């Protein structure tokens, strides 16, 4: 089933997942394509970004952004073409970065849209290395992590949209970079394609020992994307005055209860105290929206120079978005996960 | 038993405590008073500071500073008089801030000594409001906590050496200040003498509800001195973008094992992430030694103006130091705990 000009397919939230989301938590609905009124434009989705934070939107637990209501269309960033326009600022065929969610079409009054350069080689990069994930990697690493040349930086989800950029920027800054990823293929790619110094497979039961061996001088910056057993392996290796930007905790997003005891939060706090560690959560546009231009300038340059590489994992068809998203939470993607909603 | 000119009493570490220290973990030894050689001076202890961090020195767990060896004299900051001198920089009778530990006499070559103004009204203040605890309060609150006028600052151990200063500085900066302390007398003092807006008794079983009621706009800065159930009450009240300087964790210093489960460290990390919280441990002289002058200038001014008050809890006699220290870990002191080792 492909995109048409007459129907608007929407992936709606059918039920709040208990633990791991399943196909039954999503519902593919079909409605009429809306019509742009005065001052409005109609957007046609070409690319939809799938990101771990969406798991939080499926839940009704309090978080930094509102939940998706049951029966509502799943939210998400998109790269769209303007399909029709009654808005003076946008013409038919314009590429825009939008937040129209898991659907084919959406109306807009132009608020929150970013026009994309029509000469962009890959418009989908606006959802990845030049968009939220890349910006997240850049600010989290450079502003909170503040790596210095010669320091050791560890990043989990090392071939993911954020982790792959974190590690490559850290290499540009002269650090030793150790990735953690799921599987031999991803680890090989992190070292051979992305230039990391080492990458450890978190499926290996000797994760803690392997990580320690890969970090002979300890860890100065740990960019936290995952939590869980990876963080457990990292914690004892953190150096005095280490920095831990907390960007994501994908290993615990599907959890339905806290892990069994003992309660290790006192151990975590003691480690922060005795090693003088800074641990800081951040939400990229809330904390750093005003610094987007410096990121865009640096990253465009690095991409143009071939200093940063970026891999996309593209899934075809909106109807495949739920399964792709479920796989994302299990680490099945290899690179930035994007749904190609329509050929263009 | 009082200080003499012929014997050097030393409180030595007799055994590593298991859980709460007991009198048997200390040993009061008597040795000869050492004699200053060329380039040396002999220091006579007048005041000895007792501080929670000393519990860590009694343990052989890895920490930010070395353990005291079994049989060695307990470490600690002291205010001393120069008793004899063969050092050109020091004269008999000079007051100095030193780190000579729990004993009557010690030799020095001058390294690490700070001469005190002979006109100081209270030389013991060099161990408190004008020394490490005051400096800790100042930098932890202002540099990591970064409170803004109108924000809510919560500080535990609210009448202690650090907490009392944290709260008063926060008041000077225009914040709402809520203390947490053990017992009605301390809470009354925090409000009536120190000027806090409210103070909650942590013995009250409704601690969490009382703290929530005292912080109707949530908590923007939590200055962490204690951990344990106080932190549990604070965590759900932390606001978006809150700051948590981690200065001490006295509630867990005597613990022999982690608390029972569930493991709440994922909850802590999730809260840091979704609320974009900065949590940071610090060790005052390691992190901020270079900024002592700005502290000394501000604090001297505030004391001279009566804008900061400081209470000392003075125990007489070196032989009473162990019991006083055990009480400190149980919250029995009321104000900065100081041992008057000798009359002067």
């Amino acid at each position: 089933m492909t995109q048409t000009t007459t129907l608007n397919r929407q992936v709606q939230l059918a039920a709040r997942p208990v633990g791991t989301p399943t196909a039954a938590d999503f519902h593919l609905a079909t409605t009429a394509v809306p019509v742009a009124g005065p001052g409005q434009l109609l957007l046609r989705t070409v690319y939809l970004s799938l990101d771990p934070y969406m798991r939080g939107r499926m839940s009704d637990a309090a978080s930094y952004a509102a939940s998706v209501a049951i029966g509502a269309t799943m939210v998400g960033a998109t790269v769209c073409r303007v399909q029709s326009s009654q808005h003076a600022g946008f013409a038919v065929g314009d590429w825009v970065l939008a937040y129209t969610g898991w659907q084919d079409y959406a109306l807009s009054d132009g608020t929150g849209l970013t026009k994309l350069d029509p000469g962009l080689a890959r418009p989908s990069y606006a959802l990845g290395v030049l968009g939220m994930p890349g910006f997240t990697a850049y600010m989290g690493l450079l502003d909170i992590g503040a790596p210095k040349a010669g320091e050791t930086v560890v990043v989990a989800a090392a071939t993911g949209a954020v982790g792959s950029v974190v590690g490559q920027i850290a290499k540009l800054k002269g650090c030793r970079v150790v990735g953690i990823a799921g599987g031999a293929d991803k680890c090989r790619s992190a070292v051979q394609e992305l230039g990391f110094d080492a990458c450890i497979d978190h499926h290996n039961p000797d994760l803690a020992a392997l990580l320690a061996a890969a970090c002979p001088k300890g860890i100065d910056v740990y960019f936290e994307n995952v939590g869980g057993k990876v963080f457990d392996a990292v914690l004892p290796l953190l150096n005095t005055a280490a920095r831990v930007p907390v960007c994501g905790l994908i290993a615990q997003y599907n959890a339905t209860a806290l892990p069994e005891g003992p309660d290790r939060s006192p151990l975590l706090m003691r480690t922060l105290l005795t090693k003088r560690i800074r641990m800081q959560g951040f939400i990229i546009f809330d904390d750093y929206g005003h610094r987007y231009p410096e990121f865009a300038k640096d990253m465009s340059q690095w991409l143009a120079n071939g200093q940063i590489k970026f891999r996309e994992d593209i899934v075809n068809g909106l109807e495949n978005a739920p399964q792709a998203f479920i796989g994302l939470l299990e680490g099945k993607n290899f690179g930035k996960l994007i749904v190609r909603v329509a050929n263009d």
Side-chain angles (χ1 to χ4, degrees), chain A residues 163-199:
Chain A
S164 64
V165 178
V166 167
Q168 291 177 89
I169 297 175
K171 283 304 299 176
L172 290 175
K173 299 297 179 185
C175 298
R176 174 174 177 79
V177 174
V178 177
I180 301 171
D185 280 355
K186 288 179 179 176
C187 286
R188 196 177 307 115
S189 168
V191 172
Q192 294 181 0
E193 292 164 32
L194 304 179
F196 289 22
D197 295 286
C199 188

Short mmCIF file of all heavy atoms in Angstrom, two decimals, chain A residues 163-199:
data_model
loop_
_atom_site.label_atom_id
_atom_site.label_comp_id
_atom_site.label_asym_id
_atom_site.label_seq_id
_atom_site.Cartn_x
_atom_site.Cartn_y
_atom_site.Cartn_z
N GLY A 163 24.77 8.29 18.73
CA GLY A 163 26.05 7.75 19.17
C GLY A 163 27.13 7.82 18.10
O GLY A 163 28.29 8.11 18.39
N SER A 164 26.76 7.57 16.86
CA SER A 164 27.76 7.58 15.79
C SER A 164 28.34 8.97 15.62
O SER A 164 29.53 9.14 15.32
CB SER A 164 27.14 7.08 14.48
OG SER A 164 26.12 7.95 14.03
N VAL A 165 27.51 9.98 15.81
CA VAL A 165 27.99 11.36 15.67
C VAL A 165 28.80 11.77 16.89
O VAL A 165 29.85 12.42 16.78
CB VAL A 165 26.79 12.31 15.42
CG1 VAL A 165 27.26 13.76 15.33
CG2 VAL A 165 26.05 11.90 14.14
N VAL A 166 28.35 11.37 18.06
CA VAL A 166 29.11 11.65 19.29
C VAL A 166 30.55 11.16 19.14
O VAL A 166 31.52 11.88 19.40
CB VAL A 166 28.45 10.98 20.51
CG1 VAL A 166 29.39 10.99 21.73
CG2 VAL A 166 27.14 11.66 20.86
N GLY A 167 30.68 9.90 18.73
CA GLY A 167 32.01 9.31 18.66
C GLY A 167 32.90 9.99 17.63
O GLY A 167 34.10 10.21 17.86
N GLN A 168 32.31 10.33 16.49
CA GLN A 168 33.12 10.97 15.45
C GLN A 168 33.54 12.39 15.85
O GLN A 168 34.67 12.82 15.56
CB GLN A 168 32.35 10.99 14.12
CG GLN A 168 32.18 9.60 13.53
CD GLN A 168 31.34 9.66 12.25
OE1 GLN A 168 31.87 9.84 11.15
NE2 GLN A 168 30.04 9.52 12.39
N ILE A 169 32.65 13.11 16.51
CA ILE A 169 33.05 14.46 16.98
C ILE A 169 34.16 14.32 18.03
O ILE A 169 35.14 15.07 18.03
CB ILE A 169 31.85 15.24 17.55
CG1 ILE A 169 30.80 15.49 16.47
CG2 ILE A 169 32.32 16.58 18.14
CD1 ILE A 169 29.53 16.17 16.99
N ALA A 170 34.00 13.35 18.91
CA ALA A 170 35.04 13.15 19.94
C ALA A 170 36.39 12.82 19.31
O ALA A 170 37.44 13.28 19.77
CB ALA A 170 34.61 12.05 20.92
N LYS A 171 36.37 12.05 18.23
CA LYS A 171 37.63 11.77 17.51
C LYS A 171 38.20 13.08 16.94
O LYS A 171 39.41 13.34 17.02
CB LYS A 171 37.41 10.76 16.38
CG LYS A 171 37.27 9.31 16.79
CD LYS A 171 38.44 8.76 17.59
CE LYS A 171 39.76 8.80 16.84
NZ LYS A 171 40.89 8.33 17.73
N LEU A 172 37.33 13.90 16.36
CA LEU A 172 37.80 15.19 15.81
C LEU A 172 38.43 16.05 16.91
O LEU A 172 39.31 16.87 16.63
CB LEU A 172 36.64 15.96 15.17
CG LEU A 172 36.08 15.39 13.87
CD1 LEU A 172 34.87 16.20 13.40
CD2 LEU A 172 37.16 15.40 12.78
N LYS A 173 37.98 15.86 18.15
CA LYS A 173 38.51 16.65 19.26
C LYS A 173 39.74 15.99 19.90
O LYS A 173 40.24 16.44 20.94
CB LYS A 173 37.42 16.86 20.33
CG LYS A 173 36.20 17.62 19.82
CD LYS A 173 36.54 19.05 19.39
CE LYS A 173 35.32 19.79 18.85
NZ LYS A 173 35.67 21.14 18.32
N GLY A 174 40.20 14.89 19.31
CA GLY A 174 41.45 14.30 19.79
C GLY A 174 41.31 13.31 20.93
O GLY A 174 42.28 13.01 21.63
N CYS A 175 40.12 12.78 21.10
CA CYS A 175 39.89 11.84 22.22
C CYS A 175 40.11 10.39 21.77
O CYS A 175 40.04 10.07 20.59
CB CYS A 175 38.46 11.97 22.71
SG CYS A 175 38.11 13.62 23.34
N ARG A 176 40.34 9.54 22.76
CA ARG A 176 40.20 8.10 22.55
C ARG A 176 38.72 7.79 22.66
O ARG A 176 38.08 8.16 23.65
CB ARG A 176 40.98 7.34 23.62
CG ARG A 176 40.78 5.82 23.55
CD ARG A 176 41.66 5.05 24.53
NE ARG A 176 41.37 3.62 24.46
CZ ARG A 176 41.81 2.80 23.51
NH1 ARG A 176 42.62 3.27 22.56
NH2 ARG A 176 41.47 1.53 23.50
N VAL A 177 38.17 7.10 21.65
CA VAL A 177 36.73 6.86 21.61
C VAL A 177 36.45 5.36 21.62
O VAL A 177 36.95 4.62 20.77
CB VAL A 177 36.09 7.50 20.36
CG1 VAL A 177 34.61 7.11 20.26
CG2 VAL A 177 36.24 9.02 20.42
N VAL A 178 35.67 4.94 22.58
CA VAL A 178 35.27 3.55 22.70
C VAL A 178 33.75 3.49 22.59
O VAL A 178 33.04 4.14 23.37
CB VAL A 178 35.75 2.95 24.04
CG1 VAL A 178 35.26 1.50 24.18
CG2 VAL A 178 37.27 3.02 24.14
N GLY A 179 33.28 2.73 21.61
CA GLY A 179 31.85 2.56 21.44
C GLY A 179 31.36 1.29 22.10
O GLY A 179 32.14 0.37 22.41
N ILE A 180 30.07 1.22 22.33
CA ILE A 180 29.41 0.00 22.76
C ILE A 180 28.22 -0.17 21.84
O ILE A 180 27.46 0.78 21.63
CB ILE A 180 28.96 0.09 24.24
CG1 ILE A 180 30.17 0.36 25.15
CG2 ILE A 180 28.24 -1.20 24.66
CD1 ILE A 180 29.80 0.68 26.58
N ALA A 181 28.09 -1.33 21.24
CA ALA A 181 27.01 -1.55 20.28
C ALA A 181 26.58 -3.00 20.34
O ALA A 181 27.25 -3.84 20.95
CB ALA A 181 27.47 -1.18 18.87
N GLY A 182 25.48 -3.30 19.67
CA GLY A 182 24.92 -4.65 19.73
C GLY A 182 25.28 -5.46 18.51
O GLY A 182 24.65 -5.30 17.46
N GLY A 183 26.30 -6.30 18.63
CA GLY A 183 26.63 -7.21 17.53
C GLY A 183 27.95 -6.88 16.86
O GLY A 183 28.43 -5.75 16.87
N ALA A 184 28.51 -7.92 16.25
CA ALA A 184 29.84 -7.79 15.64
C ALA A 184 29.83 -6.83 14.44
O ALA A 184 30.77 -6.07 14.24
CB ALA A 184 30.33 -9.16 15.19
N ASP A 185 28.76 -6.84 13.64
CA ASP A 185 28.71 -5.97 12.47
C ASP A 185 28.76 -4.50 12.87
O ASP A 185 29.50 -3.71 12.28
CB ASP A 185 27.42 -6.21 11.67
CG ASP A 185 27.52 -7.45 10.79
OD1 ASP A 185 28.61 -8.06 10.73
OD2 ASP A 185 26.49 -7.81 10.19
N LYS A 186 27.97 -4.17 13.86
CA LYS A 186 27.94 -2.78 14.30
C LYS A 186 29.30 -2.38 14.88
O LYS A 186 29.80 -1.27 14.64
CB LYS A 186 26.83 -2.56 15.32
CG LYS A 186 25.43 -2.60 14.71
CD LYS A 186 24.36 -2.39 15.78
CE LYS A 186 22.96 -2.41 15.15
NZ LYS A 186 21.91 -2.31 16.18
N CYS A 187 29.89 -3.28 15.65
CA CYS A 187 31.19 -2.96 16.27
C CYS A 187 32.26 -2.78 15.19
O CYS A 187 33.09 -1.87 15.28
CB CYS A 187 31.58 -4.04 17.27
SG CYS A 187 30.62 -3.93 18.80
N ARG A 188 32.23 -3.64 14.18
CA ARG A 188 33.21 -3.52 13.10
C ARG A 188 33.02 -2.17 12.39
O ARG A 188 33.99 -1.46 12.10
CB ARG A 188 33.01 -4.68 12.12
CG ARG A 188 34.17 -4.88 11.17
CD ARG A 188 33.95 -6.11 10.28
NE ARG A 188 33.64 -7.31 11.04
CZ ARG A 188 32.48 -7.98 11.00
NH1 ARG A 188 31.50 -7.59 10.20
NH2 ARG A 188 32.31 -9.06 11.73
N SER A 189 31.77 -1.82 12.12
CA SER A 189 31.50 -0.55 11.44
C SER A 189 31.98 0.64 12.27
O SER A 189 32.53 1.60 11.73
CB SER A 189 30.00 -0.45 11.18
OG SER A 189 29.65 0.85 10.79
N ALA A 190 31.77 0.57 13.58
CA ALA A 190 32.17 1.70 14.43
C ALA A 190 33.67 1.95 14.33
O ALA A 190 34.12 3.10 14.29
CB ALA A 190 31.77 1.43 15.89
N VAL A 191 34.42 0.86 14.25
CA VAL A 191 35.88 1.00 14.19
C VAL A 191 36.33 1.31 12.75
O VAL A 191 37.07 2.27 12.51
CB VAL A 191 36.57 -0.27 14.71
CG1 VAL A 191 38.07 -0.22 14.47
CG2 VAL A 191 36.26 -0.46 16.20
N GLN A 192 35.86 0.51 11.81
CA GLN A 192 36.40 0.63 10.44
C GLN A 192 35.81 1.81 9.68
O GLN A 192 36.50 2.46 8.91
CB GLN A 192 36.17 -0.67 9.68
CG GLN A 192 36.99 -1.81 10.29
CD GLN A 192 36.81 -3.13 9.55
OE1 GLN A 192 36.07 -3.20 8.57
NE2 GLN A 192 37.49 -4.17 10.01
N GLU A 193 34.51 2.08 9.84
CA GLU A 193 33.90 3.16 9.07
C GLU A 193 33.90 4.48 9.83
O GLU A 193 34.13 5.53 9.24
CB GLU A 193 32.48 2.78 8.66
CG GLU A 193 32.46 1.63 7.64
CD GLU A 193 31.09 0.97 7.52
OE1 GLU A 193 30.07 1.66 7.69
OE2 GLU A 193 31.07 -0.25 7.26
N LEU A 194 33.61 4.41 11.11
CA LEU A 194 33.48 5.66 11.88
C LEU A 194 34.80 6.06 12.53
O LEU A 194 34.93 7.19 13.00
CB LEU A 194 32.39 5.52 12.94
CG LEU A 194 31.01 5.11 12.41
CD1 LEU A 194 30.01 4.97 13.56
CD2 LEU A 194 30.49 6.12 11.38
N GLY A 195 35.75 5.15 12.61
CA GLY A 195 37.07 5.51 13.13
C GLY A 195 37.21 5.48 14.64
O GLY A 195 38.17 6.03 15.19
N PHE A 196 36.28 4.81 15.32
CA PHE A 196 36.43 4.66 16.77
C PHE A 196 37.69 3.84 17.07
O PHE A 196 38.12 3.01 16.27
CB PHE A 196 35.22 3.93 17.37
CG PHE A 196 33.94 4.71 17.40
CD1 PHE A 196 33.70 5.78 16.55
CD2 PHE A 196 32.93 4.35 18.29
CE1 PHE A 196 32.50 6.50 16.59
CE2 PHE A 196 31.73 5.04 18.32
CZ PHE A 196 31.51 6.11 17.48
N ASP A 197 38.25 4.02 18.25
CA ASP A 197 39.44 3.26 18.63
C ASP A 197 39.10 1.83 18.99
O ASP A 197 39.92 0.93 18.81
CB ASP A 197 40.13 3.96 19.80
CG ASP A 197 40.64 5.32 19.39
OD1 ASP A 197 41.65 5.38 18.66
OD2 ASP A 197 40.01 6.34 19.74
N ALA A 198 37.90 1.63 19.51
CA ALA A 198 37.46 0.28 19.88
C ALA A 198 35.95 0.30 19.98
O ALA A 198 35.34 1.38 20.11
CB ALA A 198 38.07 -0.15 21.21
N CYS A 199 35.35 -0.87 19.90
CA CYS A 199 33.90 -0.95 20.10
C CYS A 199 33.60 -2.32 20.70
O CYS A 199 34.07 -3.35 20.21
CB CYS A 199 33.14 -0.74 18.79
SG CYS A 199 31.35 -0.61 19.03
#
